[in-house]
Amino acid sequence: MFGGLTGSKSSSSDFGERMLNAVASQSIRHLFTQSETVDVEIRCNPSSKLLQGSVDSFKMWGRHLVIRRDFLVEEMSFETDAVSIDPGSILGGNIRLKQPTQAVAQVVLTEDAINRAFTAELVKKRLVNVDLEAVTNLSGGEPISFRDVKVELRPDNQIKLMAKTDLPNRADVPLSLSATLTVEKRRRISFKNPKFEPDAIPDSMLSLAEILSMAFAQILDNMVDLDRFDLDGVTLRVNRLETHGKNLVFSGYAQIDHFPGTR
């Protein structure tokens, strides 16, 4: 744990503190398919306020968290504003909020985890049987699929993406592009200013690869919406994202409507 509660303690509030820590940790763990570490700190001063259901803030930090079985988060943290809870709910083994609350949040993804995400069914199904006009013009009207996606994070919010696709008369067409990662409407990750990267593309495929790479960028630009990854009772919103070496760091806030498993 980060720490305990501060302030004067009576025996009843001390019991409530221990219960609240335990219940909060267990509830947050339920957000994730797997978790290596989940630490919770509850601030309440004086601690007797807990008996009336008043908490100054919750702070959570987690490491190696798996969301929906396939999406690995290296680190996630959030800290709420003041929270009003039903003190009686703690004895029942859960935490019921009297009203929604907001928290400052940060999420760290690694380059490896992003590449792993492209193998998840939720993502792969959006890259299969694509029927954009830009690609069907090259495939005789048939939809095509993208596979073997590889991501490379670069400084200054730049990203390089490589993939492959097949056309009716040409297999294993390689794609390669770079783009700038930005945030749209606090929830959608956008791939701005895509540029074809011809290095390592065979001369015989340059024209095809450029058209298909730009089409691939268009598909990605409409695909990454955080609403598809909402947790139970928690909605994430992003104010800023930054590449730091092999990590992608999201900073924003979480809207917490209820603790996991409670409504």
Side-chain angles (χ1 to χ4, degrees):
M1 293 291 180
F2 285 96
L5 301 178
T6 60
S8 59
K9 295 180 172 68
S10 65
S11 59
S12 57
S13 62
D14 183 60
F15 174 74
E17 293 163 12
R18 294 196 302 270
M19 286 286 293
L20 188 55
N21 270 291
V23 171
S25 296
Q26 189 62 30
S27 294
I28 290 172
R29 284 183 184 276
H30 284 159
L31 289 171
F32 311 109
T33 308
Q34 292 176 251
S35 58
E36 178 185 284
T37 303
V38 174
D39 286 341
V40 175
E41 178 185 6
I42 294 141
R43 300 175 188 264
C44 185
N45 189 12
S47 59
S48 57
K49 291 196 302 184
L50 179 59
L51 300 176
Q52 284 76 49
S54 180
V55 174
D56 295 330
S57 70
F58 281 93
K59 186 175 181 180
M60 169 269 180
W61 178 84
R63 179 176 174 81
H64 290 173
L65 312 168
V66 179
I67 299 172
R68 296 193 178 185
R69 302 186 183 279
D70 291 305
F71 302 98
L72 176 63
V73 175
E74 183 69 11
E75 293 182 12
M76 178 185 290
S77 63
F78 63 78
E79 183 169 6
T80 71
D81 299 327
V83 178
S84 179
I85 65 173
D86 174 5
S89 66
I90 302 171
L91 296 175
N94 54 54
I95 300 173
R96 293 192 181 278
L97 299 178
K98 290 184 178 179
Q99 58 190 32
T101 188
Q102 282 196 353
V104 177
Q106 180 171 287
V107 176
V108 179
L109 304 180
T110 66
E111 183 179 275
D112 285 345
I114 295 170
N115 278 298
R116 168 177 162 172
F118 274 99
T119 68
E121 287 304 316
L122 183 65
V123 176
K124 287 199 302 183
K125 70 181 184 182
R126 299 181 63 83
L127 300 176
V128 173
N129 294 325
V130 176
D131 59 0
L132 280 178
E133 185 177 354
V135 299
T136 56
N137 283 343
L138 299 174
S139 64
E142 294 297 318
I144 70 170
S145 301
F146 298 93
R147 55 182 169 79
D148 300 339
V149 180
K150 189 173 188 296
V151 170
E152 178 185 309
L153 296 178
R154 294 176 168 180
D156 302 319
N157 291 8
Q158 298 295 303
I159 187 171
K160 180 177 180 180
L161 297 112
M162 292 159 283
K164 291 181 181 179
T165 190
D166 301 308
L167 296 175
N169 59 349
R170 185 72 66 93
D172 294 328
V173 179
L175 315 180
S176 180
L177 68 120
S178 61
T180 302
L181 294 174
T182 63
V183 180
E184 301 285 341
K185 298 181 179 179
R186 295 188 176 183
R187 64 179 177 81
R188 189 169 68 85
I189 310 305
S190 182
F191 296 76
K192 293 294 187 184
N193 304 316
K195 296 178 181 177
F196 175 56
E197 300 229 346
D199 295 348
I201 303 291
D203 290 344
S204 62
M205 293 188 180
L206 279 174
S207 179
L208 275 178
E210 181 172 8
I211 296 170
L212 291 167
S213 294
M214 293 299 97
F216 185 51
Q218 184 179 345
I219 295 162
L220 292 174
D221 196 48
N222 290 292
M223 189 172 75
V224 187
D225 192 321
L226 294 183
D227 283 348
R228 297 192 179 98
F229 303 95
D230 279 351
L231 305 171
D232 180 14
V234 181
T235 301
L236 296 174
R237 289 292 178 259
V238 177
N239 293 330
R240 185 179 64 196
L241 63 78
E242 297 176 307
T243 53
H244 291 286
K246 295 300 181 183
N247 290 340
L248 182 60
V249 181
F250 298 87
S251 302
Y253 67 91
Q255 172 79 21
I256 304 173
D257 295 318
H258 60 266
F259 266 72
T262 64
R263 286 185 181 274

